[in-house]
Amino acid sequence: MIELRNITKYFGAKKAVDTISFAVEKGEILGFLGPNAAGKSTTMRIITGYIPPSRGTVVIGGNDILTDSLSARGKIGYLPENAPAYPDMTVYAFLDFCAQIRGFSGKDRKTKTEEIIDRCFLNSVKHQAISTLSKGYKQRVCFAQSIIHDPEYLILDEPTDGLDPNQKHEVRMMIRNMAAEKAIILSTHILDEMDAVCTRAIIIANGRIVVDETPENLRKKSPSHGAITLEIPKGNPKKLIACLKSIAGTKSVESLTTEDQSLRVRVFPEPGSDAIAEKILSELIKKRYRVKSIFVEQGHLDEVFRMLTTEASMEQDIDFKKKRLSKRLRNLPDLRSQRLKQPE
Amino acid sequence: MNMNQAKTITNITVILKRELGSYFGSPVAYVFIIVFLMLSGFFTFNISHFFEMGQADLRSFFQWHPWIYLFLVPAVSMRLWAEERRLGTMELLLTLPVTLPQVILGKFLAGWIFLGIALLLTFPLVITTLYLGNPDLGAIFCGYIGSFLMAGAYLSIGIMTSSMTRSQVISFILAVVICLFFILAGFSPVTRAFSGWAPLWLTDLVAQLSFLTHFASIERGVLDIRDILYFVSIIFFMLYTNATILENRKTS
C-alpha cells in the first residue's frame, strides 16, 4: 500500500501541495489528474523520494520514504516526466545499468535485461544509442526501466505523453495487465486515458484534492449525465418542445441544432426520475413523431474536470481577494491617525 | 563483509563504470588526453627546457601540473552533475535505491580514474629520463602519486560546482575561479604581498591553504603525510559540500 499522510510542500512562500492524503492498495490503478501546475509532478516526486515534503510523509509498503528511504525506493518503479534517459548509452547498456542498480547480478542481470527488452518491444533498437531514438521509443525505454525489477508499486508521470495512438494503446494494455498484483499511480491530463485505464481518479487543483472517485461516479457529476438526446425529422420545434416538457419527470428541454433535415433536442430529467427515455419514446410515438435516434448521455468527463478545477481556482481567488481586503481594512485606522497628527 | 557493505561497493562500482563508459563514449575524453599530453610536453620541453637542464628528474614536468589542471580538470568535472540536471536523469538516478554518497563517490572516482589514465599516459617521459640518465625512481613515483592526489582535489572542487547548476559553462567557470584561489593563496607574489603587513601566522595560514605550498615538496619527490592529509581533506570537504548542495536543492 502507498499511503500519503498530510503531504504539504512549499516552494519558498508558495504552497505547491496542500495537505494531500490518500492511500492506494494493490490492484488499484489511480489516475492522478489536474490542470498544469496543479502539483501533480511535485506530489509524485515526493512519493518517490526525489524531493522531501515540507510536512507529512509517505509510507511505501510499510517503509517510510523519509526515514527508510532505500527500502522504500527499492519497492518503487518510477517513470519521471519527459522520460529521461542517458542519451549516450545504448538501450541495452542503459537497461543493463538499471538492472545492476536494482540489485541483479550474474545470470539474473542478463535474463532480466533481455526479458524487459522483449516485453517492451525494444528488440529492434537494442544496440542503438538512446539519443538516436524517437520520442515513442525513448518513452518505452524509460518505462522499461521502471518495471525491470517487477516493482510492487509503480509511479508513472504522464506515461503516454508523446506517443502515437497505437503506442498509447500498447502502454495502456501493459499497465492494465500488470495491475492485478501492483498498486499503480499514474498522472495524466488526458481524460480518456484515465477513463480507459484507471479504477479510481483523484483530481487536484492548486495543490488540493478536489475529488476522489471512480471514473464512473465522476462522470455522473457531469450536468449532461442521464440527459436524453433525440433526433427527429424537421417539424415544428416549439410544438415538439412543448410536448416533451409536458412529460412527467422532465426538468428542462434544450434544442441543440437544427440541421437541414432534422431537429436535435436534449431533455434533462428531474433528478431521481427513472426510465425517462421509455416515457419520452412512448409519448412521441403516441403523437406520431418519427424518432430518428435516441441516446442516453453518459456524461462528459471534461465537463466535470473543468467544473471542478475552475471551481477550486475561483475559490482560491476569492480567498486571496478576501485576505487583501481585510489587510487593507486593518491598515485603515493607521492612515486616519496619521492624518490627525499632521496639523501639530 | 556484511550485506550492506557489499551492496554499497556494488552500487559505487556500477555508477563508476557507467560514468567512465560515458567519458570514453564521447570525443571529449580523447580531446582531453591529447591536450593534456601536448600541454605537459610543451611546458616541460619548451618552457622549462628539460633537455638543457641536464638533470635526470621530472621536476620540470610536475611543476606545471597545478596550472595545467587549473583549466583541464574543471573540463572533466563540469558535466558530472550539470548534465544530469539538464537532461532530467538526476531525477531517475536519485530515486533509484542508491544513497547520495554512493552516487557522488561513484562519479568522483570515475573522474579520478580518468585523470589517472591521462597521467599514466605520460610514461614516455619516465622512459626518456631513464634512457638519458639515472633518475631516482622513488622520487618520480612520489611525484606521480602527489600529482594524482592534487588532481583529485581539483576534481572534487569541480564536481561540487557542477552540482550547483544545470549549466556546464557556469560550473566550469566557478571551478576555475575556486581552483585559482587555491593556487594563488600560495603563489609567491601573493604571499609576498601578505608578508609585508600581515602577521606571520596569517601569511602562513593563507599559504597553507594553497595547492602550491603542498605540491612544492611533492614535485621534488618528497611525499609528506601532511601534504597527503591536506589533499585528502580537501577532497572530503568538497564531496561533503556536494552532498549538502544536492540535499538542499529545491527541484530538478
Side-chain angles (χ1 to χ4, degrees):
Chain A
M1 188 170 77
I2 302 177
E3 201 185 347
L4 279 77
R5 295 179 185 156
N6 300 316
I7 292 294
T8 302
K9 179 72 188 174
Y10 286 95
F11 289 124
K14 194 179 170 288
K15 214 184 228 179
V17 178
D18 188 0
T19 41
I20 282 186
S21 304
F22 62 81
V24 189
E25 302 279 353
K26 282 187 186 167
E28 272 188 301
I29 307 180
L30 176 77
F32 205 51
L33 288 94
N36 288 332
K40 285 177 300 196
S41 290
T42 306
T43 309
M44 299 196 126
R45 284 174 172 167
I46 292 171
I47 297 174
T48 51
Y50 182 56
I51 47 176
S54 307
R55 272 201 301 275
T57 190
V58 183
V59 180
I60 314 280
N63 300 108
D64 191 301
I65 195 75
L66 295 176
T67 56
D68 192 7
S69 187
L70 275 196
S71 331
R73 277 190 264 163
K75 291 180 180 174
I76 299 178
Y78 179 37
L79 170 67
E81 203 179 2
N82 301 327
Y86 294 106
D88 51 347
M89 296 178 96
T90 66
V91 172
Y92 186 89
F94 175 67
L95 292 174
D96 183 45
F97 165 72
C98 296
Q100 280 174 281
I101 282 282
R102 290 293 183 183
F104 297 107
S105 57
K107 218 174 148 193
D108 257 11
R109 166 183 155 198
K110 197 166 155 48
T111 48
K112 275 282 167 190
T113 313
E114 293 284 356
E115 186 194 300
I116 208 70
I117 284 173
D118 224 37
R119 257 178 84 190
C120 296
F121 311 102
L122 292 166
N123 266 314
S124 57
V125 294
K126 198 166 146 186
H127 297 298
Q128 227 168 297
I130 290 174
S131 59
T132 64
L133 298 183
S134 69
K135 175 98 208 244
Y137 271 117
K138 262 183 210 164
Q139 189 85 17
R140 257 187 283 170
V141 169
C142 201
F143 184 64
Q145 161 278 130
S146 70
I147 57 173
I148 195 164
H149 54 305
D150 197 22
E152 293 171 73
Y153 306 99
L154 199 52
I155 316 287
L156 309 168
D157 202 347
E158 308 203 346
T160 61
D161 190 41
L163 301 186
D164 69 34
N166 295 333
Q167 294 166 333
K168 273 185 188 166
H169 181 74
E170 267 168 32
V171 169
R172 284 174 195 165
M173 291 302 285
M174 277 167 75
I175 293 172
R176 262 202 300 204
N177 291 340
M178 285 185 302
E181 69 274 23
K182 293 188 203 313
I184 302 176
I185 300 180
L186 66 92
S187 85
T188 176
H189 53 250
I190 309 164
L191 292 152
D192 294 332
E193 180 164 298
M194 187 270 290
D195 203 21
V197 183
C198 302
T199 58
R200 183 177 156 199
I202 284 184
I203 298 182
I204 64 167
N206 299 314
R208 261 180 264 177
I209 295 183
V210 288
V211 78
D212 182 353
E213 283 281 11
T214 62
E216 222 162 285
N217 284 341
L218 207 58
R219 208 185 274 114
K220 282 185 188 155
K221 288 182 189 279
S222 160
S224 64
H225 172 77
I228 288 141
T229 307
L230 285 166
E231 198 177 350
I232 279 164
K234 204 165 173 76
N236 184 349
K238 274 185 189 160
K239 216 169 134 191
L240 174 71
I241 286 171
C243 162
L244 287 169
K245 270 189 176 161
S246 69
I247 300 166
T250 52
K251 194 169 125 201
S252 62
V253 181
E254 184 190 335
S255 94
L256 295 172
T257 49
T258 42
E259 282 159 27
D260 290 350
Q261 296 301 317
S262 57
L263 200 63
R264 283 181 60 207
V265 291
R266 185 174 285 167
V267 182
F268 293 94
E270 290 281 7
S273 54
D274 299 336
I276 187 86
E278 208 182 317
K279 280 184 203 159
I280 289 171
L281 214 53
S282 61
E283 185 69 20
L284 288 179
I285 288 165
K286 222 190 315 178
K287 295 258 168 76
R288 294 180 179 274
Y289 279 103
R290 275 179 52 221
V291 180
K292 267 178 139 177
S293 73
I294 181 163
F295 181 68
V296 182
E297 298 279 352
Q298 295 300 304
H300 295 285
L301 282 168
D302 46 353
E303 270 178 12
V304 182
F305 181 81
R306 226 175 302 132
M307 204 172 74
L308 290 168
T309 52
T310 49
E311 241 172 46
S313 67
M314 258 160 64
E315 257 169 45
Q316 208 188 35
D317 213 37
I318 290 169
D319 257 19
F320 175 71
K321 279 180 183 157
K322 263 190 201 161
K323 266 185 205 158
R324 201 170 54 183
L325 202 64
S326 66
K327 210 172 167 185
R328 278 189 193 159
L329 284 174
R330 245 182 288 133
N331 290 339
L332 222 51
D334 290 15
L335 287 171
R336 211 184 299 155
S337 60
Q338 271 174 3
R339 211 173 294 155
L340 283 174
K341 272 178 200 160
Q342 262 175 3
E344 281 175 26
Chain B
M1 193 159 53
N2 65 29
M3 275 282 288
N4 273 337
Q5 277 171 318
K7 183 82 188 129
T8 301
I9 289 169
T10 332
N11 284 346
I12 292 174
T13 20
V14 171
I15 287 171
L16 188 158
K17 270 195 268 171
R18 201 207 72 74
E19 287 292 341
L20 212 53
S22 108
Y23 272 124
F24 286 103
S26 71
V28 180
Y30 306 101
V31 170
F32 173 87
I33 289 178
I34 290 167
V35 170
F36 174 72
L37 295 179
M38 277 170 55
L39 272 183
S40 45
F42 173 76
F43 280 118
T44 312
F45 296 116
N46 296 44
I47 312 256
S48 286
H49 304 291
F50 174 74
F51 288 127
E52 290 87 332
M53 294 265 283
Q55 274 177 333
D57 65 20
L58 285 184
R59 211 176 148 183
S60 50
F61 164 66
F62 287 123
Q63 119 191 46
W64 294 105
H65 282 194
W67 303 96
I68 296 175
Y69 287 157
L70 174 62
F71 291 99
L72 289 186
V73 177
V76 171
S77 62
M78 64 182 184
R79 47 167 286 285
L80 283 170
W81 282 111
E83 185 76 348
E84 299 258 4
R85 275 196 187 220
R86 197 178 60 79
L87 293 171
T89 43
M90 192 158 99
E91 187 167 355
L92 197 71
L93 188 61
L94 296 186
T95 51
L96 290 170
V98 287
T99 64
L100 195 52
Q102 287 168 3
V103 181
I104 292 173
L105 265 181
K107 279 176 174 288
F108 173 74
L109 290 177
W112 211 9
I113 289 173
F114 176 72
L115 290 173
I117 292 170
L119 195 56
L120 280 182
L121 287 176
T122 59
F123 71 91
L125 212 60
V126 183
I127 296 173
T128 312
T129 34
L130 273 175
Y131 177 74
L132 291 175
N134 197 11
D136 179 357
L137 276 182
I140 290 178
F141 179 75
C142 285
Y144 269 104
I145 293 290
S147 176
F148 183 59
L149 269 172
M150 187 171 64
Y154 277 86
L155 186 72
S156 68
I157 292 171
I159 192 173
M160 188 271 287
T161 60
S162 178
S163 71
M164 296 201 236
T165 165
R166 62 173 57 211
S167 152
Q168 297 194 22
V169 177
I170 295 177
S171 150
F172 176 83
I173 293 170
L174 279 176
V176 170
V177 168
I178 297 176
C179 292
L180 188 64
F181 166 80
F182 273 102
I183 290 181
L184 286 184
F187 195 43
S188 49
V190 177
T191 42
R192 236 178 288 136
F194 259 90
S195 61
W197 55 272
L200 190 64
W201 63 267
L202 187 66
T203 319
D204 260 2
L205 188 77
V206 174
Q208 283 302 318
L209 267 180
S210 171
F211 290 152
L212 287 185
T213 315
H214 292 274
F215 195 61
S217 52
I218 289 173
E219 70 186 36
R220 283 199 309 271
V222 182
L223 206 51
D224 191 329
I225 186 78
R226 279 172 300 180
D227 298 330
I228 296 176
L229 255 172
Y230 165 78
F231 285 121
V232 170
S233 49
I234 290 265
I235 291 172
F236 183 80
F237 176 77
M238 291 300 165
L239 295 187
Y240 188 82
T241 312
N242 183 349
T244 314
I245 290 170
L246 285 178
E247 260 161 23
N248 291 313
R249 79 197 182 278
K250 288 218 171 100
T251 44
S252 58

